[in-house]
Amino acid sequence: TTLHKKIDGAFFDELLDILILGDMGVETSEKLIDQLKRTVKRDKIRDAEEIINLLKAGIQDILKSDIVYTAEIPDKRPYVIMLTGVNGSGKTTTAGKFARRYKDAGLKVMMIAADTFRAAAIEQLEIWAQRADVDIVKQKEGSDPSAVIFDGLQKAVARNYDVVIADTAGRLQNKSHLMKELEKIKRTSLKKVDEDQILSLLVLDATTGQNAVSQALIFNDAVKLDGIVLAKLDGTAKGGIVVTIKDRLGLPVLEAGVGEKIDDLIPFDTEAYVDGLFG
Amino acid sequence: KLSDKIQNVFDRLRGKGRLNEKAVEEGLREIRMALLEADVNYKVAKDFIARVKEKSVGEEILKSLTAGQQIVRIVRDELTELLGGETVEIELERNRLNEILLIGLQGCGKTTMAAKMGMKYREDGWRPLLVALDIYRPAAVEQLQKTGAQANVPVFAPESGEKPMAILSRAHEYALENNIDILIADTAGRLTIDDEMMAEVEELTQAIDFDEVLLVVDAMTGQEAVTVAETFNSRIGISGCIMTKLDGDARGGAALSVRSVTGVPIKLIGTGEGLQGVEVFYPERMSGRIIG
Ligand SMILES: Nc1nc2c(ncn2[C@@H]2O[C@H](COP(=O)(O)OP(=O)(O)OP(=O)(O)O)[C@@H](O)[C@H]2O)c(=O)[nH]1
Ligand SMILES: Nc1nc2c(ncn2[C@@H]2O[C@H](COP(=O)(O)OP(=O)(O)OP(=O)(O)O)[C@@H](O)[C@H]2O)c(=O)[nH]1
Ligand SMILES: [Mg+2]
Ligand SMILES: [Mg+2]
């Protein structure tokens, strides 16, 4: 680490390197380092470790949310967790993890297989439903995803489900017809439940670079996102782009996917995350 | 667009007097920013800029009214060169069994690419066989079977409880006995830090002398693309890369990082979810996309 270096330009450059290599992007990284330099100069700080802690605090300030997110399900039922995101980011696996968590909490859980497009997507979600021991609503491959959502939510309301987890098909944000389809899925959900009963999440692959900002912006336009699930954080990528996203859009990371098994989902710990950036 | 940004830098600095090294520095900085925003690896971008600077600080360029444009052209040419210059394709021999292995991180598009390649080769008169070696992901085998069926390409599936090594050996024998000339093996997504899973692929490549071991990389991959490619290359040895999801709007800087750091050529690209979405890689088109 840089702990024994003298505090000069090279020291700050090295810190900038760490941020950029963590996918925080140039703008956000430079903003953080400029802010750090000003504080160091103003307060005449000489200790490298103290400076790094200041930088961590600066990142923490961006990441932490005023609304405290707990994995607790609000009282108004059913509570709908809708998973969206680009192809392969980890939505279906995350759906399985959420199902297990709320099943373990003693709640009545349903999954909705609204990815009616990709080969074996419904089969994949069915296996997760079995593993989590929860019910699943599905239709034939090729059916209208909004119809499956409507069907599922109808059942969820009628039979008093506590939690509904809706998995959707992966889609690239520049495909406007697919973003329209997603808007329709959300609109359809609002016919059955209120806005405050839906947690709209963007599942983001931690290996993603600057394109994640465009994903967040466009998915947010389509479905008004409540937060991000940062998946695959068990890999080597740091997913620093979430700092940029929080800074620019105010969108917080609520959960982290830390593996391929059913228990590998943890509420996002900003402090542990920031430590990990410099670990 | 980068070319406009560079032009603005030079026009602004020219307004202050004769162009000099400072103007070039500022122009180069704009270029470096653009590369980073395109997800080119930080260190790769630094080296790249140093090379471009060498070519740009000649008197001829600095005196020219089109200095900005010229530098952008140097950047594009240099990028194209770094991406391999020419198209490199997968080379296979007719009338024998060619074997291809697809590896990569989770979710990058391997299974889809296996089916796409199968279809492309079938249309070109080959007799392909897809082999399902992902025994971990729920419904992975079904996914390959379904897309294989759509592609009209046979899929070799595992028996219950069979491990990838055994499946591959059995598939190899089957292929030889049935006049298959292209075997395409799809593997499970894996992390480079998962020692057991990396060892699994090592074992596969030790057992079968693959004609191609292709690293599949998602076009939206950020800075980590370099480490991932380096690790796969040093541990397994890769003969080529496939970059997927280029129908998206990711600039694809990972392509530059992967190619320049491993020296391994990008041989194919994925350009859509459908089976038609596979194309040959053109370095020139990619450099235009990266530079924006
Ligand atoms: N290591 C790791 N792998 C993950 C994680 N989450 C998902 N994966 C893997 O990523 C791959 C893709 O996961 P899926 O759940 O199919 O992703 P998806 O977003 O539903 O994909 P599409 O529906 O095709 O868009 C699978 O191999 C998963 O096992 C995670 O947190 N860590
Ligand atoms: N738009 C687009 N989507 C793609 C492309 N290639 C693959 N996909 C999609 O990306 C997602 C992941 O593809 P898979 O083939 O399951 O990826 P994988 O590497 O086999 O995933 P794992 O086996 O879990 O590691 C699916 O939704 C595919 O349809 C592409 O070139 N363009
Ligand atoms: Mg899915
Ligand atoms: Mg696969």
Side-chain angles (χ1 to χ4, degrees):
Chain A
T1 67
T2 56
L3 286 187
H4 302 291
K5 297 263 179 70
K6 82 188 239 290
I7 311 305
D8 57 6
F11 174 78
F12 287 107
D13 281 348
E14 231 167 292
L15 289 179
L16 181 71
D17 274 14
I18 292 175
L19 300 186
I20 293 184
L21 287 169
D23 280 315
M24 224 172 278
V26 178
E27 201 179 300
T28 306
S29 304
E30 288 190 332
K31 168 172 155 167
L32 282 160
I33 297 297
D34 287 347
Q35 169 187 307
L36 182 70
K37 281 179 180 171
R38 282 198 300 276
T39 309
V40 166
K41 190 170 181 203
R42 180 197 69 204
D43 301 350
K44 300 191 174 38
I45 306 174
R46 303 253 191 292
D47 177 52
E49 187 160 359
E50 196 178 335
I51 295 178
I52 292 177
N53 285 335
L54 264 176
L55 179 56
K56 286 186 184 179
I59 300 170
Q60 258 281 79
D61 280 344
I62 295 177
L63 286 179
K64 62 181 197 282
S65 210
D66 345 300
I67 320 158
V68 179
Y69 167 79
T70 69
E72 298 287 322
I73 297 296
D75 295 334
K76 213 164 160 193
R77 308 283 162 91
Y79 191 62
V80 183
I81 297 175
M82 180 170 293
L83 299 171
T84 72
V86 300
N87 306 73
S89 65
K91 301 173 289 300
T92 304
T93 309
T94 302
K97 296 170 182 177
F98 270 121
R100 161 50 52 88
R101 175 196 286 176
Y102 295 117
K103 174 76 185 194
D104 282 352
L107 298 172
K108 188 172 180 189
V109 181
M110 164 203 288
M111 298 185 96
I112 300 180
D115 177 356
T116 56
F117 173 75
R118 206 210 68 213
I122 297 170
E123 286 86 329
Q124 184 186 5
L125 194 70
E126 278 186 292
I127 292 173
W128 283 112
Q130 286 164 22
R131 289 179 178 181
D133 188 26
V134 302
D135 300 326
I136 180 167
V137 168
K138 56 174 179 152
Q139 288 182 16
K140 286 201 338 306
E141 193 174 293
S143 32
D144 174 8
S146 292
V148 191
I149 286 280
F150 189 82
D151 181 22
L153 290 179
Q154 182 123 287
K155 288 195 173 84
V157 169
R159 300 174 199 174
N160 297 313
Y161 278 81
D162 297 307
V163 184
V164 175
I165 297 151
D167 182 25
T168 64
R171 66 203 70 226
L172 298 183
Q173 68 275 24
N174 59 326
K175 312 256 166 128
S176 49
H177 63 295
L178 295 181
M179 296 314 290
K180 285 251 177 319
E181 178 186 84
L182 191 61
E183 282 180 37
K184 183 168 174 224
I185 289 173
K186 177 92 187 241
R187 260 202 322 275
T188 305
S189 315
L190 290 169
K191 291 187 182 155
K192 281 283 157 206
V193 297
D194 296 334
E195 183 87 48
D196 59 358
Q197 283 171 269
I198 305 179
L199 186 73
S200 303
L201 300 174
L202 175 71
V203 180
L204 180 61
D205 186 328
T207 65
T208 311
Q210 300 306 302
N211 192 255
V213 178
S214 148
Q215 289 175 25
L217 282 166
I218 298 176
F219 273 82
N220 192 41
D221 280 346
V223 297
K224 195 146 142 317
L225 296 168
D226 295 296
I228 291 172
V229 175
L230 187 57
K232 308 178 196 172
L233 206 50
D234 48 315
T236 52
K238 310 282 184 179
I241 197 66
V242 299
V243 180
T244 309
I245 292 174
K246 179 69 166 53
D247 197 32
R248 282 198 217 158
L249 281 147
L251 197 60
V253 178
L254 301 181
E255 302 273 353
V258 292
E260 300 186 81
K261 304 203 291 306
I262 207 165
D263 310 304
D264 292 333
L265 183 69
I266 48 175
F268 192 63
D269 178 342
T270 59
E271 233 182 281
Y273 176 76
V274 174
D275 281 335
L277 285 174
F278 295 88
Chain B
K1 284 186 66 260
L2 181 73
S3 36
D4 298 335
K5 279 194 203 159
I6 307 288
Q7 199 52 49
N8 292 338
V9 165
F10 279 89
D11 290 349
R12 186 165 39 84
L13 292 174
R14 184 179 297 111
K16 299 197 178 122
R18 195 177 162 271
L19 272 194
N20 56 14
E21 188 149 341
K22 173 169 191 294
V24 175
E25 289 289 348
E26 197 154 326
L28 290 178
R29 183 163 200 284
E30 284 294 331
I31 295 166
R32 197 163 71 85
M33 295 302 120
L35 293 177
L36 290 174
E37 279 163 26
D39 290 320
V40 173
N41 178 268
Y42 193 60
K43 300 192 178 85
V44 171
K46 270 192 176 168
D47 296 342
F48 179 81
I49 292 300
R51 221 178 356 263
V52 168
K53 181 175 180 182
E54 270 175 45
K55 299 199 170 178
S56 313
V57 282
E59 273 304 304
E60 294 310 315
I61 291 188
L62 293 183
K63 280 191 196 148
S64 158
L65 284 176
T66 62
Q69 289 174 34
Q70 287 193 50
I71 291 188
V72 171
R73 213 198 54 239
I74 289 173
V75 170
R76 278 194 68 148
D77 292 346
E78 215 32 50
L79 267 178
T80 304
E81 199 49 40
L82 246 138
L83 286 167
E86 300 284 316
T87 290
V88 178
E89 297 204 51
I90 293 172
E91 303 211 345
L92 304 169
E93 281 178 40
R94 298 269 177 185
N95 301 313
R96 70 164 176 85
L97 177 59
N98 297 267
E99 292 171 294
I100 297 174
L101 185 69
L102 299 182
I103 60 179
L105 298 178
Q106 289 88 349
C108 58
K110 300 173 290 301
T111 304
T112 309
M113 185 51 65
K116 286 174 180 176
M117 289 170 75
M119 185 164 96
K120 173 166 109 75
Y121 287 126
R122 179 182 55 72
E123 288 174 343
D124 289 348
W126 297 83
R127 289 173 49 83
L129 176 72
L130 306 182
V131 183
L133 299 181
D134 183 353
I135 56 170
Y136 312 98
R137 170 174 153 156
V141 175
E142 284 87 328
Q143 185 189 1
L144 190 65
Q145 286 173 321
K146 282 195 169 177
T147 28
Q150 279 171 16
N152 224 326
V153 177
V155 175
F156 193 91
E159 286 169 351
S160 165
E162 204 175 18
K163 296 280 182 272
M165 198 57 254
I167 304 162
L168 183 61
S169 310
R170 211 162 49 82
H172 175 86
E173 289 311 314
Y174 175 89
L176 290 172
E177 289 161 15
N178 289 277
N179 261 322
I180 297 292
D181 49 22
I182 298 190
L183 181 155
I184 301 169
D186 176 30
T187 63
R190 67 202 65 227
L191 297 177
T192 52
I193 51 175
D194 186 334
D195 206 61
E196 220 168 291
M197 289 300 273
M198 292 301 280
E200 175 185 280
V201 177
E202 273 175 331
E203 206 194 351
L204 298 177
T205 57
Q206 281 156 11
I208 298 277
D209 180 18
F210 285 98
D211 296 280
E212 291 279 0
V213 175
L214 302 170
L215 178 66
V216 181
V217 177
D218 195 320
M220 63 184 93
T221 310
Q223 296 290 310
E224 210 50 30
V226 164
T227 327
V228 169
E230 274 180 326
T231 310
F232 272 109
N233 196 28
S234 64
R235 208 164 152 176
I236 316 289
I238 53 184
S239 59
C241 281
I242 300 179
M243 179 149 280
T244 60
K245 306 180 198 169
L246 278 167
D247 47 319
D249 59 15
R251 303 259 295 282
L256 185 67
S257 305
V258 168
R259 170 78 215 220
S260 66
V261 164
T262 64
V264 175
I266 298 165
K267 298 186 176 178
L268 221 50
I269 61 174
T271 56
E273 277 194 271
L275 289 170
Q276 310 292 346
V278 57
E279 293 174 25
V280 153
F281 176 72
Y282 293 105
E284 208 168 317
R285 283 188 206 167
M286 194 70 209
S287 64
R289 177 185 182 122
I290 291 174
I291 210 69

